[in-house]
């Protein structure tokens, strides 16, 4: 997990956390009729280089290739890239909630849709966790 | 010269007898905001409230630099007081107009400040660690495993076979996203006073903002960390404390 403190004082890196929540500044916050709002036409879309999954041929082929490389003998817990937990973490907070949810590899997903609450939002989804450097354009 | 408005806070020193400006030293020294060069941030008082403002550069456009400046000013101000963050790009004709607006709607802004005192926003985004989630999807589906084995045995399978297989995997991943989104929300929502979905943006299957007291924020961090530990496919990004962007109302 990355915990990103938003209120670091000054210095380089003080904005790294803010970057990921820029959408809040554009889309949330107080609007007062008496003030003019700057036109957002031509806004630099904050391109975060992620591979968006719009169920596409590319995605299918990429998944196929990725699965081809998977070592199914290893448990998922042995996969690389597991999170570095920040600080001393006691599990007591999550333990109660996580029990009976998912645990380990022997899960079936057949009933997932039945259990989950659909949000009714049409979101572009992606299925990759790899976030590359954000494009810098200024 | 127009005035760029970052947010509205209480004027703790407001003297009912007159419109006393808060002492500028309440702002972090040298705090600058939008523009190139960045304009110095100052305060404008009215109605017992304070607006955090700067001069507005000509032809302000939503540049990355200025968006970040807006965020930074609010983050700094939020360290010493409760602030109602403005949406990016709020510009007033003049300081006078800002004072008038503060005075006119003072009641409403004070109510919101009261409601939000001692509370912060945390934004949580979730993505899947691809390798781990693919592992889960295959591990939970014998048919997929059989297909994977068959494809592997024939050197990866034909184009059509790979396409068909990949489509089934993508479907499994999407099911897992729905399920994990519910898991994350159900685990974190009880810790917050309010919860709002974040603005639509591509790239995560969870984007939620929570309004929390500071002690609850600690619990949120602990719970999020515990979720990741219990579910290695989850990669959570927790941002905060933030000014309560998602919990102000006009």
């Amino acid at each position: 997990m990355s915990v990103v403190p938003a209120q670091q004082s000054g210095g380089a890196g003080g904005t790294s956390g803010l970057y990921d929540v820029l959408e809040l500044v554009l889309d949330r916050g107080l609007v007062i009729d008496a003030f003019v709002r700057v036109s957002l036409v031509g806004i630099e879309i904050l391109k975060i280089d992620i591979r968006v999954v719009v169920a596409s041929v590319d995605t299918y082929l990429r998944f196929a290739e990725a699965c081809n490389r998977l070592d199914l003998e290893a448990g998922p817990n042995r996969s690389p890239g597991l999170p570095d937990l920040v600080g001393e973490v006691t599990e007591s907070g999550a333990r109660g909630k996580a029990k009976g949810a998912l645990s380990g590899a022997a899960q079936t997903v057949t009933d997932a849709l039945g259990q989950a609450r659909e949000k009714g939002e049409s979101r572009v989804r992606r299925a990759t966790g790899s976030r590359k450097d954000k494009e810098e354009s200024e | 010269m127009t005035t760029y408005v970052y947010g509205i806070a209480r004027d703790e020193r407001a003297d009912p007898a007159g419109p006393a400006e808060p002492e500028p030293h309440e702002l972090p020294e040298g705090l600058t905001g939008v523009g190139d060069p960045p304009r110095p941030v100052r305060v404008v008082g009215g109605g017992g409230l304070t607006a955090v403002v700067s001069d507005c550069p000509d032809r302000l456009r939503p540049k990355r630099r200025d968006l970040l400046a807006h965020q930074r000013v609010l983050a700094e101000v939020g360290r010493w007081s409760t602030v109602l963050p403005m949406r990016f790009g709020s510009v007033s004709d003049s300081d006078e107009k800002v004072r008038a607006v503060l005075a006119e709607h003072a009641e409403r802004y004070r109510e919101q400040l009261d409601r939000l005192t001692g509370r912060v926003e945390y934004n949580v985004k979730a993505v899947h660690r691809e390798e781990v989630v693919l592992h889960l999807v295959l591990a939970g589906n014998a048919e997929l495993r059989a297909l994977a084995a068959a494809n592997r045995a024939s050197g990866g399978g034909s184009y059509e076979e790979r396409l068909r297989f990949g489509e089934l995997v993508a479907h499994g991943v999407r099911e897992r996203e729905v399920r994990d989104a519910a898991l994350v929300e159900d685990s974190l929502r009880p810790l917050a006073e309010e919860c709002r979905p974040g603005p639509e943006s591509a790239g995560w299957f969870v984007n939620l903002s929570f309004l929390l007291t500071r002690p609850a924020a600690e619990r949120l961090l602990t719970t999020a960390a515990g979720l990741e530990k219990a579910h290695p496919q989850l990669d959570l990004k927790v941002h905060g404390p933030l000014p309560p962007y998602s919990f102000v109302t006009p």
Side-chain angles (χ1 to χ4, degrees):
Chain A
M1 178 174 75
S2 47
V3 176
V4 191
Q7 299 183 11
Q8 311 166 36
S9 48
T15 55
S16 60
L18 297 177
Y19 195 97
D20 285 327
V21 289
L22 277 184
E23 87 265 12
L24 295 175
V25 180
L26 290 166
D27 210 68
R28 299 285 188 260
L30 192 57
V31 174
I32 295 176
D33 290 343
F35 298 158
V36 178
R37 295 242 10 256
V38 168
S39 162
L40 297 185
V41 172
I43 182 163
E44 302 170 3
I45 295 301
L46 310 155
K47 282 193 185 154
I48 298 168
D49 185 14
I50 45 178
R51 284 178 287 189
V52 174
V53 174
V54 277
S56 70
V57 168
D58 285 350
T59 306
Y60 301 159
L61 293 176
R62 194 166 58 76
F63 278 176
E65 190 187 335
C67 288
N68 211 14
R69 289 195 310 262
L70 277 186
D71 176 11
L72 284 176
E73 299 311 306
N77 292 322
R78 303 234 321 260
S79 297
L82 291 186
D84 292 318
L85 295 181
V86 179
E88 288 295 308
V89 175
T90 60
E91 275 189 276
S92 56
R95 178 69 48 90
K97 301 232 180 285
K99 265 223 163 70
L102 323 167
S103 58
Q107 289 288 327
T108 58
V109 290
T110 46
D111 58 347
L113 285 172
Q115 296 175 349
R117 278 171 299 145
E118 277 292 2
K119 296 274 178 294
E121 289 175 21
S122 59
R123 276 183 301 201
V124 186
R125 298 180 168 279
R126 68 158 199 169
T128 171
S130 67
R131 300 184 54 193
K132 298 179 192 160
D133 291 341
K134 294 124 183 169
E135 170 192 285
E136 284 301 331
S137 64
E138 184 55 26
Chain B
M1 176 56 79
T2 55
T3 304
Y4 185 95
V5 187
Y6 299 88
I8 297 170
R10 282 191 202 83
D11 180 357
E12 304 292 2
R13 304 150 178 261
D15 174 5
E21 293 283 33
E23 296 289 332
H25 69 65
E26 283 199 5
L27 289 172
E29 201 165 327
L31 184 62
T32 55
V34 295
D36 186 18
R39 305 298 194 272
V41 173
R42 49 198 173 77
V43 290
V44 170
L49 296 165
T50 289
V52 179
V53 306
S54 69
D55 290 347
C56 182
D58 294 329
R59 294 198 306 278
L60 176 69
R61 284 180 48 249
K63 305 275 295 181
R64 177 186 316 247
R65 180 195 61 231
D66 290 332
L67 290 163
L68 285 170
H70 182 101
Q71 295 258 56
R72 200 182 53 245
V73 168
L74 285 166
E76 286 291 335
V77 173
R79 296 164 69 139
W80 53 263
S81 68
T82 306
V83 60
L84 307 179
M86 301 296 299
R87 193 172 298 180
F88 176 83
S90 299
V91 180
S92 173
D93 298 339
S94 65
D95 286 8
E96 274 316 307
K97 179 78 168 278
V98 175
R99 280 191 196 91
V101 167
L102 290 181
E104 187 183 351
H105 302 293
E107 192 73 13
R108 194 191 310 166
Y109 300 144
R110 267 199 295 269
E111 277 171 15
Q112 288 204 60
L113 285 164
D114 290 345
R115 180 171 63 87
L116 295 168
T117 296
R119 283 149 183 84
V120 288
E121 173 166 345
Y122 273 74
N123 177 266
V124 177
K125 292 181 168 75
V127 298
H128 271 141
R129 297 176 192 278
E130 183 171 294
E131 194 167 312
V132 185
V133 80
L134 291 177
H135 218 295
L136 277 177
V137 167
L138 259 63
N141 187 321
E143 182 196 355
L144 279 179
R145 281 202 305 281
L147 275 175
N151 284 350
R152 200 172 295 188
S154 60
S158 71
Y159 178 81
E160 282 74 19
E161 283 165 335
R162 283 183 292 137
L163 208 56
R164 168 86 190 116
F165 172 70
E167 187 174 1
L168 290 170
V169 172
H171 181 71
V173 168
R174 202 138 35 245
E175 284 184 334
R176 179 60 74 162
E177 284 182 352
V178 171
R179 180 170 170 166
D180 281 350
L183 170 72
V184 171
E185 183 168 350
D186 292 348
S187 304
L188 301 182
R189 187 189 273 273
L191 306 174
E193 289 183 351
E194 293 181 50
C195 169
R196 281 200 67 188
E200 288 210 359
S201 51
W204 9 80
F205 63 87
V206 170
N207 179 7
L208 291 172
S209 277
F210 299 94
L211 186 70
L212 301 148
T213 59
R214 288 189 184 265
E218 284 302 309
R219 287 196 293 277
L220 180 92
L221 295 178
T222 306
T223 306
L227 272 175
E228 281 194 325
K229 199 163 185 173
H231 309 283
Q233 76 275 18
L234 288 179
D235 179 4
L236 301 180
K237 273 190 144 344
V238 182
H239 299 278
L242 298 162
Y245 294 107
S246 303
F247 303 98
V248 286
T249 51

